[in-house]
Amino acid sequence: MSHKAGFVSIIGKPNAGKSTLMNALVGEKMSIVTPKAQTTRHRIIGIVNEPDYQIVFSDTPGVIKPAYTLQESMMSSVQGSLIDADVILLVTDINEKYDESDVIEKLRKTESPVAVLINKIDKSTEEEVKSKIAHWQQTLNPSAIFAISALHGHNITAVMQFILENLPEHPPYYEKDALTDRNERFFVSEIIREKVFKLYEKEIPYSTEVIVTAFKEEATITRISAEIIVERDSQKNILIGKAGSMIKKVGTYAREDIEDFLQTKVFLELFVKVIPDWRKKDSYLKRFGYE
């Protein structure tokens, strides 16, 4: 029996639904999902294994014009995912108001098959869907166009079928029981960061980074310490909240999800640390795992 294996990159503008799609395709929660744009900062890999194929999905940060060093790193991970992609899925929001010329420009240079996924069709009419399909046919002339709802799983099977048809014959790239190339610490820090995105407004979520500083597995409990990094003292005060009320909330919600993820009881300690302008400093970005 021949075996297929390949890399599938999910790209698009911020908040188009890439992470929701990735989670739907992989069948596990791999990427954090919030209503705010630019939630995904790293290229996150999710692996689907079956006896005769292995699909390695990459969820990438939303394509933007970078304003500081962290965003430059995010955009270089998008570029990297396009270079080794066997199949590219361009996710676009049916109600997209962004100028998508920068995404289109990136795709013009690829020889890999591209499918345009018009997402969030549950929030639109049939006329809007038809008009969007015509727009993409004319603008990009991709290998395929799918109208989908990643949130409700609509048309996901058809997308999987397209991927399998375009996947090359190749032995598996990862062990057949692997779900991702990331470790547990990475997902724990992402869960905490997701809670920050959901609980705080304005600049706070974008100024924070989460670093797991201790991860100790014991017989009946896993003890985790993490630092939430911010850029200014004023952000630290907001993050902690009056008498520590906000940071307690972050800790409670994060601990529940981490226990669910690790399938064990968790003791979680959170600390807030100020590192001025960390998003613009190469040394810190490197230390925090950015390219």
Side-chain angles (χ1 to χ4, degrees):
M1 276 289 286
S2 65
H3 185 278
K4 287 182 159 196
F7 292 84
V8 177
S9 284
I10 302 171
I11 78 155
K13 298 296 281 186
N15 230 7
K18 298 180 297 299
S19 296
T20 306
L21 174 72
M22 160 99 151
N23 294 342
L25 289 164
V26 176
E28 295 276 348
K29 185 170 178 186
M30 310 294 296
S31 291
I32 64 179
V33 177
T34 81
K36 294 187 175 76
Q38 287 176 51
T39 308
T40 303
R41 284 183 184 163
H42 296 268
R43 178 180 174 186
I44 296 171
I45 282 180
I47 304 165
V48 173
N49 289 298
E50 288 297 338
D52 52 348
Y53 66 81
Q54 181 180 78
I55 308 171
V56 185
F57 287 103
S58 284
D59 180 18
T60 61
V63 176
I64 49 170
K65 289 190 168 53
Y68 43 82
T69 321
L70 169 63
Q71 291 182 340
E72 282 168 16
S73 164
M74 286 157 62
M75 289 312 96
S76 88
S77 74
V78 175
Q79 201 52 50
S81 83
L82 289 177
I83 290 164
D84 58 21
D86 295 294
V87 178
I88 296 167
L89 305 179
L90 167 59
V91 184
T92 175
D93 184 337
I94 182 89
N95 304 305
E96 191 63 89
K97 298 292 184 280
Y98 286 111
D99 167 18
E100 291 181 300
S101 53
D102 47 356
V103 183
I104 293 161
E105 203 43 55
K106 285 185 188 300
L107 292 177
R108 290 211 196 283
K109 297 167 188 156
T110 184
E111 287 173 24
S112 306
V114 176
V116 172
L117 276 48
I118 301 166
N119 192 22
K120 306 185 187 178
I121 60 162
D122 48 302
K123 296 178 178 171
S124 68
T125 64
E126 200 176 331
E127 281 66 40
E128 286 170 326
V129 173
K130 281 180 180 165
S131 130
K132 209 67 168 174
I133 290 172
H135 162 77
W136 281 108
Q137 200 67 63
Q138 195 182 353
T139 313
L140 198 61
N141 191 23
S143 307
I145 300 175
F146 298 96
I148 69 160
S149 168
L151 186 62
H152 300 292
H154 177 71
N155 234 0
I156 298 299
T157 310
V159 175
M160 276 299 260
Q161 198 50 48
F162 171 81
I163 293 165
L164 288 170
E165 283 164 11
N166 287 280
L167 218 55
E169 287 196 5
H170 198 282
Y173 288 94
Y174 293 90
E175 295 292 329
K176 284 292 248 179
D177 59 354
L179 245 185
T180 180
D181 64 338
R182 299 280 185 179
N183 60 22
E184 286 177 336
R185 279 178 174 237
F186 172 80
F187 286 104
V188 165
S189 68
E190 287 287 273
I191 288 167
I192 298 166
R193 202 164 63 83
E194 177 183 56
K195 303 310 165 209
V196 173
F197 262 79
K198 286 185 169 171
L199 288 168
Y200 297 87
E201 290 300 314
K202 301 194 174 79
E203 174 63 5
I204 296 292
Y206 301 101
S207 309
T208 56
E209 181 58 63
V210 177
I211 308 298
V212 173
T213 52
F215 191 102
K216 195 174 176 215
E217 295 174 75
E218 296 174 7
T220 55
I221 198 165
T222 296
R223 297 180 187 279
I224 298 169
S225 293
E227 285 179 350
I228 302 177
I229 312 290
V230 290
E231 295 189 310
R232 294 192 293 280
D233 283 322
S234 58
Q235 292 167 344
K236 179 177 177 174
N237 296 337
I238 294 167
L239 205 61
I240 292 170
K242 200 172 178 186
S245 58
M246 283 303 285
I247 198 76
K248 266 193 202 122
K249 210 180 264 190
V250 173
T252 303
Y253 291 152
R255 183 182 50 74
E256 287 168 2
D257 277 13
I258 294 166
E259 286 183 339
D260 193 38
F261 174 70
L262 296 175
Q263 292 293 293
T264 182
K265 277 204 76 57
V266 166
F267 174 77
L268 177 65
E269 262 186 319
L270 295 178
F271 303 92
V272 184
K273 183 176 173 182
V274 179
I275 300 178
D277 292 332
W278 69 265
R279 288 181 293 176
K280 296 175 183 164
K281 292 179 178 167
D282 287 339
S283 57
Y284 284 111
L285 290 171
K286 213 168 196 164
R287 220 172 91 193
F288 299 161
Y290 295 96
E291 290 172 20

